[in-house]
């Protein structure tokens, strides 16, 4: 009788091993905020019993079974805690050309000895079953799939990029889907829709145009020769996108585009005893302030830091926790109600019952953490998609925006802080939004694992047939054009026949009149 559970267990274990895939994770981008999503996915796959090898700039601190790092650490200058106020000014004005150029720089890592070794001698025992890579501005890495003859999964750490719509065949109806670089919501006026169409087509065109030169890497390192960079995207079997309808709106997704927003969210380590004590003793509430993992607040101009200090002093006895990478570079005169640390376990801090608000630059991951922990936000966008992220939360009435870091004054910040602290509607709204965001049939990690295994098992079966059509076929312009031509021709024929009929019926009388008139005028001369 006791044998049955044992047999079942044995079957289950066998099943696990038999279904264990060998997975190559390709994440050569060195931004920490992009990495957190990839890290959770790859760790989750390893815990599930797959053998994962991961190309990354962030090797695991604590090894876990079945997870092997192919570390690129040190091959690019670090960006974590290394972005100054000047860098941000440059980023703020960066073009698609600059973004694509950064992508090309990341493609140069294909020359890294570890990657060359991997490309020339991919493991055979067992060989890879599937490749997972992050999609942003380095499509050259898509060539790994074709090279290893396995399906490719792409992850997207932000909203689905405008330039992926065409290559995935995902419907991007610009009448109600704002471009990722716009600040529109889903209700656009005529003018906004016009700009949205122009902007989205412009950035997609630019991105494909500027990344097309990355074909040279596909050719040099993989021996793959295709006419256009877009051809590499057609190898993608699945897209895992860090969005969710509760936060990013309602939009159609084709079968192989799966929303897994919040994949990186997990409970953190507890804060240090010092921070825990500070939070517990914040009886009047505490504000958490960070510009994320990359930006160094201490490099901002003295005038700006003074505005922050003055505002924080005014809201005392409410306390502030502030992330500062290098305390020694910070302007002296920090108010007594502010504590700084070089790093905080962010989710544990945001979850603390005394936290009342989050001052953020509006990064995709940090704002999701705020929603997860139901904390209202004050946004100070710095660059990239941060403006639209914050605008989106302002529209949902869970955030107040200070528009730009150049506009921050003591008065504006204090007024925003007082609003958030006193007007309870922000808190109520964010609690509702948090529930909408988290209520799912299964976790985003489990959803991702399911679809990765599905594609590993069945191959390229989810792709949209739309990728085989030209844009004008996809929009049925040829069909509508044909119908229009038929209608115009039919109208022409009817008009022609009518005119002929008219001539037949009344033609002789009219001619006779004309003739007699002509004769008369001749006679008069
Ligand atoms: C910061 O980045 C710059 C390049 O932007 C690099 O030269 C420098 O080494 C980095 N600093 C640190 C401390 O890594
Ligand atoms: C995710 O999957 C694991 C393993 O199958 C399961 O134990 C866990 O309960 C799942 N989590 C959720 C939230 O569904
Ligand atoms: C496929 C694979 O390598 N599976 C291994 C995952 O880790 C467990 C525990 O270390 C091993 O028993 C499996 O063989």
């Amino acid at each position: 009788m006791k044998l049955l559970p044992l047999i079942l267990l044995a079957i289950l274990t066998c099943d696990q091993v038999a279904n264990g895939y060998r997975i190559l994770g390709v994440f050569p981008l060195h931004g920490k905020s992009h990495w957190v999503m990839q890290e959770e996915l790859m760790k989750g796959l390893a815990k599930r019993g797959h053998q994962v090898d991961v190309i990354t700039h962030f090797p695991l601190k604590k090894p876990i079974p079945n997870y092997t790092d192919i570390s690129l650490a040190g091959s690019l200058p670090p960006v974590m805690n290394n972005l100054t106020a000047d860098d941000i000014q440059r980023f703020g004005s960066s073009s698609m050309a600059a973004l694509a150029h950064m992508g090309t720089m990341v493609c140069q890592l294909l020359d890294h000895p570890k990657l060359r070794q991997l490309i020339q001698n991919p493991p055979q025992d067992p060989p890879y079953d599937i490749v997972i890579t992050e999609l942003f501005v380095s499509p050259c890495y898509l060539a790994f799939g074709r090279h290893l003859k396995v399906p490719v999964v792409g992850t997207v750490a932000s909203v689905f990029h405008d330039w992926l719509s065409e290559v995935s065949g995902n419907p991007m109806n610009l009448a109600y889907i704002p471009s990722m670089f716009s600040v529109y919501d889903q209700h656009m006026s005529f003018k906004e829709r016009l700009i949205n169409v122009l902007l989205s087509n412009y950035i997609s065109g630019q991105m494909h145009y500027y990344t097309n030169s990355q074909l040279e890497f596909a050719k040099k390192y993989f021996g793959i020769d295709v006419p256009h960079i877009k051809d590499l995207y057609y190898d993608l079997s699945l897209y895992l996108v860090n969005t969710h309808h509760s936060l990013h709106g309602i939009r159609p997704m084709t079968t192989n585009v799966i929303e897994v927003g919040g994949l990186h969210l997990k409970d953190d380590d507890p804060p240090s005893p010092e921070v825990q004590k500070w939070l517990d003793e914040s009886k009047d509430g505490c504000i958490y302030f960070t510009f994320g993992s990359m930006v160094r607040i201490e490099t901002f101009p003295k005038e700006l830091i003074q505005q922050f200090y003055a505002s924080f002093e005014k809201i005392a006895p409410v306390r502030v926790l502030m992330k500062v990478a290098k305390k020694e570079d910070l302007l002296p005169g920090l108010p007594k109600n502010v504590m700084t640390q070089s790093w905080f376990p962010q989710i544990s801090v945001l979850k603390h019952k005394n936290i009342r608000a989050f001052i953020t630059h509006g990064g995709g991951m940090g704002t999701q953490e705020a929603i997860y922990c139901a904390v209202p936000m004050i946004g100070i966008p710095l660059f990239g998609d941060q403006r639209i992220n914050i605008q989106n939360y302002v529209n949902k009435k869970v955030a107040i925006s200070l528009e730009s870091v150049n506009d921050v004054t003591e008065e504006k910040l204090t007024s925003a802080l007082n609003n958030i602290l006193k007007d309870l509607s922000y808190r109520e709204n964010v609690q509702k939004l948090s529930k909408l965001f988290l209520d799912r049939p299964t976790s985003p990690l489990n959803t991702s694992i399911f679809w990765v295994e599905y594609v590993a098992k069945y191959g390229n079966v989810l792709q949209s047939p739309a990728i085989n059509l030209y844009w004008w076929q996809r929009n049925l312009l040829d069909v509508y054009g044909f119908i229009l031509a038929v209608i115009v021709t039919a109208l022409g024929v009817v008009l022609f026949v009518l005119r002929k009929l008219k001539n037949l019926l009344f033609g002789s009388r009219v001619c006779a009149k004309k003739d007699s008139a002509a004769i008369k005028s001749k006679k008069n001369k």
Side-chain angles (χ1 to χ4, degrees):
M1 266 288 117
K2 278 191 185 147
L3 215 58
L4 193 64
L6 273 181
I7 293 171
L8 273 179
L9 186 72
I11 291 172
L12 280 176
T13 324
C14 284
D15 189 49
Q16 193 78 312
V17 174
N19 286 331
Y21 293 111
R22 183 150 193 190
I23 302 174
L24 176 64
V26 182
F27 307 109
L29 192 75
H30 56 314
K32 174 84 174 174
S33 54
H34 288 250
W35 167 245
V36 290
M37 172 183 178
Q38 326 304 336
E39 181 179 14
E40 279 320 297
L41 176 62
M42 298 316 285
K43 277 183 176 170
L45 286 163
K47 282 186 190 145
R48 173 95 179 149
H50 301 300
Q51 188 181 350
V52 306
D53 298 342
V54 186
I55 299 173
T56 176
H57 294 269
F58 306 94
L60 291 185
K61 299 213 174 74
K62 272 181 273 171
I64 61 171
N66 296 341
Y67 184 116
T68 311
D69 284 304
I70 301 174
S71 172
L72 301 177
S75 57
L76 287 178
V79 287
M80 191 165 165
N81 279 329
N82 193 20
L83 284 190
T84 63
D86 291 341
D87 293 331
I88 287 158
Q89 290 296 343
R90 272 191 294 117
F91 271 22
S93 58
S94 73
S95 56
M96 297 314 284
L99 264 180
H101 177 74
M102 183 183 94
T104 305
M105 191 182 82
V106 172
C107 289
Q108 285 164 1
L109 288 176
L110 281 166
D111 204 42
H112 193 286
K114 284 185 191 166
L115 296 196
R116 293 189 82 136
Q117 160 72 17
L118 182 70
I119 293 165
Q120 278 153 21
N121 288 308
Q124 295 305 330
D125 188 28
Y128 289 116
D129 297 296
I130 192 160
V131 169
I132 304 181
T133 187
E134 189 196 349
L135 302 174
F136 187 41
V137 287
S138 302
C140 59
Y141 286 95
L142 289 171
F144 262 107
R146 211 176 271 217
H147 180 66
L148 299 169
K149 300 188 179 65
V150 297
V152 193
V153 175
T155 61
V156 182
S158 62
V159 296
F160 200 60
H161 308 139
D162 293 28
W163 56 89
L164 294 177
S165 299
E166 186 198 340
V167 291
S168 61
N170 196 56
M172 169 92 176
N173 188 331
L174 293 163
Y176 60 93
I177 302 170
S179 161
M180 67 183 291
F181 289 141
S182 76
V183 284
Y184 303 142
D185 61 18
Q186 292 208 287
H187 307 279
M188 290 179 262
S189 66
F190 172 77
K191 190 178 150 206
E192 288 171 339
R193 277 181 289 133
L194 178 65
I195 296 174
N196 197 42
V197 168
L198 296 176
L199 180 68
S200 183
N201 282 295
Y202 174 75
I203 60 178
S204 303
Q206 291 260 301
M207 185 51 82
H208 291 311
Y209 174 77
Y210 285 115
T211 52
N212 198 37
S213 65
Q214 293 179 14
L215 276 182
E216 117 196 27
F217 294 96
K219 192 162 182 203
K220 178 167 174 200
Y221 295 98
F222 298 96
I224 288 171
D225 206 357
V226 286
H228 198 280
I229 197 75
K230 289 187 205 169
D231 295 303
L232 290 182
Y233 287 97
Y234 301 144
D235 292 352
L236 278 158
S237 302
L238 176 70
Y239 297 78
L240 300 173
V241 190
N242 188 18
T243 50
H244 186 257
H245 64 83
S246 62
L247 307 188
H248 304 95
I250 307 296
R251 57 185 291 174
M253 294 292 191
T254 194
T255 320
N256 69 345
V257 179
I258 308 288
E259 288 198 300
V260 292
L263 191 139
H264 78 288
L265 297 167
K266 62 158 198 299
D267 286 331
D268 250 335
D269 300 331
S272 66
E274 198 188 356
V275 174
Q276 185 72 47
K277 185 160 176 279
W278 177 271
L279 280 167
D280 291 343
E281 288 172 0
S282 301
K283 295 288 175 240
D284 299 287
C286 185
I287 311 287
Y288 174 53
F289 175 24
T290 174
F291 277 159
S293 60
M294 305 200 283
V295 177
R296 293 179 50 202
I297 292 176
E298 61 277 26
T299 63
F300 281 78
K302 193 175 141 213
E303 294 72 33
L304 176 69
I305 304 287
Q306 278 167 345
Q307 303 295 317
F308 280 122
Y309 285 2
S311 176
F312 294 158
E313 210 156 13
K314 276 207 175 155
I315 59 162
V318 174
R319 292 176 163 187
V320 179
L321 279 180
M322 176 171 167
K323 192 217 109 182
V324 178
K326 278 194 193 151
K327 251 182 223 186
E328 57 276 23
D329 294 346
L330 190 66
L331 187 75
L334 192 72
K336 285 205 177 56
N337 61 329
V338 183
M339 176 198 261
T340 70
Q341 296 272 312
S342 59
W343 175 83
F344 291 97
Q346 187 150 298
I347 289 183
S348 300
V349 167
L350 287 171
K351 271 203 169 164
H352 195 283
K353 65 179 192 328
N354 289 339
I355 287 287
R356 296 281 183 273
F358 176 31
I359 305 178
T360 171
H361 63 307
M365 303 296 173
T367 49
Q368 277 185 10
E369 287 166 16
I371 302 299
Y372 177 61
C373 304
V375 176
M377 291 173 267
I378 293 177
I380 307 177
L382 299 176
F383 56 84
D385 60 356
Q386 296 161 6
R387 261 179 85 81
I388 191 170
N389 287 345
I390 290 172
Q391 189 54 45
N392 182 26
Y393 292 121
V394 170
N395 296 341
K396 295 188 189 309
K397 302 196 169 51
V398 299
I400 296 177
S401 175
L402 297 187
E403 304 301 338
S404 153
V405 73
N406 303 318
D407 295 347
V408 174
T409 60
E410 180 273 316
E411 291 80 24
K412 277 193 194 170
L413 182 58
T414 311
S415 135
L417 281 166
N418 280 328
N419 259 331
I420 292 249
L421 288 168
K422 292 184 182 136
D423 182 348
L424 291 181
S425 70
Y426 289 101
R427 225 181 160 76
E428 285 159 14
N429 293 339
V430 79
Q431 277 162 355
K432 255 183 246 162
L433 185 59
S434 184
K435 282 187 189 143
L436 269 183
F437 178 51
L438 296 175
D439 200 348
R440 323 236 184 133
T442 180
S443 66
L445 178 60
N446 281 4
T447 306
S448 307
I449 293 174
F450 173 84
W451 287 108
V452 168
E453 289 175 352
Y454 192 90
V455 166
K457 217 183 294 177
Y458 303 113
N460 205 356
V461 294
L462 302 171
Q463 254 185 350
S464 169
I467 62 171
N468 301 317
L469 301 175
Y470 291 107
W471 65 269
W472 40 272
Q473 292 175 319
R474 206 179 294 170
N475 291 297
L476 289 170
L477 292 190
D478 50 350
V479 172
Y480 292 131
F482 176 76
I483 293 174
L484 190 69
V486 168
I487 292 174
V488 168
T489 313
L491 276 178
V493 168
V494 168
L495 268 176
F496 179 77
V497 170
L498 279 180
R499 195 172 290 158
K500 276 276 175 240
L501 268 178
K502 197 170 97 186
N503 286 350
L504 260 179
L505 291 178
F506 313 107
S508 45
R509 230 189 315 169
V510 176
C511 287
K513 261 187 192 166
K514 260 189 196 161
D515 284 352
S516 63
I519 293 164
K520 262 183 197 163
S521 70
K522 261 184 188 172
K523 272 184 180 168
N524 290 346
K525 270 184 186 171

